[in-house]
Amino acid sequence: RKEVEQDPGPFNVPEGATVAFNCTYSNSASQSFFWYRQDCRKEPKLLMSVYSSGNEDGRFTAQLNRASQYISLLIRDSKLSDSATYLCVVRPSGTYKYIFGTGTRLKVLA
Amino acid sequence: GAVVSQHPSWVICKSGTSVKIECRSLDFQATTMFWYRQFPKQSLMLMATSNEGSKATYEQGVEKDKFLINHASLTLSTLTVTSAHPEDSSFYICSANNLSHLDSQETQYFGPGTRLLVL
């Protein structure tokens, strides 16, 4: 089993739609969680950290469920510019190393 | 703040040659940097953790004699792909933690990546 698993997609959604991605992780001792965004042929960029209580940043909402070991990302009112690959990232406790999921591709269609 | 640069951005070389990639933290000191490799349509795979002033820590399956890492200063880490072969063609990305910034110590800042094509 992979340490961090994501549905690779692609998710094709119309502009304005709401879309949600899930990510599961296998290490229950994982300490920190992030969503990164990666555009084609570019480096990953931090979208948001994921906190235990859940957090929101504009149209983006992240949730963490430690009991079930998954995190989610909700994007509301999708824009064309949201088209990218969304990477789920987990940091195990006791290290600064990141474990990346395979990413979920999102295409927002006009 | 927290800008990381990489050089070169892309390189094409002949099989058997060695290629050096530089990763620099431009506005902060990074005692730890990370080197990743990403093949097309795959995720980032951590290759090694580069520690300033000491040996790098390699992930399982990564040959330390093939991928030489040197972290000689607090702002520079280098990855040398020795005797490169076509299967080494990939997107190499480095990242660094800004450990001096308490609010974002665990946030990794990524360089723009280096595309390597070995003919």
Side-chain angles (χ1 to χ4, degrees):
Chain A
R1 182 186 173 186
K2 292 180 181 177
E3 290 188 75
V4 180
E5 293 202 65
Q6 294 181 254
D7 181 343
F11 284 60
N12 297 321
V13 302
E15 268 189 294
T18 296
V19 61
F21 308 135
N22 283 336
C23 165
T24 58
Y25 60 95
S26 60
N27 185 348
S28 60
S30 296
Q31 181 145 348
S32 303
F33 309 88
F34 309 89
W35 284 102
Y36 274 74
R37 169 193 170 129
Q38 187 175 26
D39 292 289
C40 188
R41 305 177 76 83
K42 299 285 188 181
E43 77 277 20
K45 293 189 184 295
L46 178 65
L47 181 64
M48 59 197 304
S49 302
V50 186
Y51 302 120
S52 297
S53 55
N55 48 299
E56 187 175 305
D57 183 1
R59 297 182 293 108
F60 300 87
T61 301
Q63 298 275 356
L64 167 64
N65 186 320
R66 284 191 183 272
S68 301
Q69 294 182 205
Y70 79 82
I71 68 174
S72 64
L73 177 67
L74 181 78
I75 305 176
R76 290 182 297 278
D77 188 23
S78 299
K79 312 291 184 189
L80 294 176
S81 57
D82 293 334
S83 298
T85 296
Y86 291 84
L87 299 167
C88 173
V89 181
V90 172
R91 181 176 73 82
S93 61
T95 176
Y96 286 111
K97 287 167 44 172
Y98 275 11
I99 310 297
F100 280 82
T102 51
T104 299
R105 283 182 59 207
L106 171 66
K107 290 184 180 181
V108 181
L109 308 172
Chain B
V3 177
V4 176
S5 70
Q6 271 185 251
H7 178 81
S9 56
W10 58 270
V11 60
I12 302 173
C13 69
K14 292 182 179 179
S15 185
T17 60
S18 294
V19 176
K20 180 186 281 188
I21 302 170
E22 293 185 349
C23 177
R24 293 182 185 272
S25 56
L26 298 184
D27 53 357
F28 66 100
Q29 294 181 333
T31 54
T32 302
M33 291 183 172
F34 303 91
W35 286 98
Y36 296 85
R37 180 168 53 182
Q38 186 177 33
F39 292 107
K41 297 189 178 182
Q42 295 187 27
S43 191
L44 279 76
M45 295 299 296
L46 179 65
M47 299 176 67
T49 302
S50 173
N51 305 296
E52 188 267 336
S54 64
K55 291 181 179 180
T57 304
Y58 290 82
E59 294 300 300
Q60 194 172 14
V62 178
E63 298 177 57
K64 62 179 181 180
D65 294 329
K66 176 149 181 83
F67 299 99
L68 301 179
I69 291 173
N70 185 279
H71 194 154
S73 78
L74 287 171
T75 59
L76 173 64
S77 174
T78 61
L79 169 68
T80 301
V81 183
T82 61
S83 186
H85 290 283
E87 58 265 29
D88 298 323
S89 300
S90 189
F91 188 41
Y92 291 85
I93 310 175
C94 72
S95 70
N97 286 99
N98 185 357
L99 296 180
S100 63
H101 195 274
L102 292 177
D103 291 339
S104 62
Q105 278 188 348
E106 58 184 14
T107 302
Q108 288 191 21
Y109 299 93
F110 287 84
T114 298
R115 294 205 174 273
L116 171 63
L117 177 61
V118 184
L119 302 176

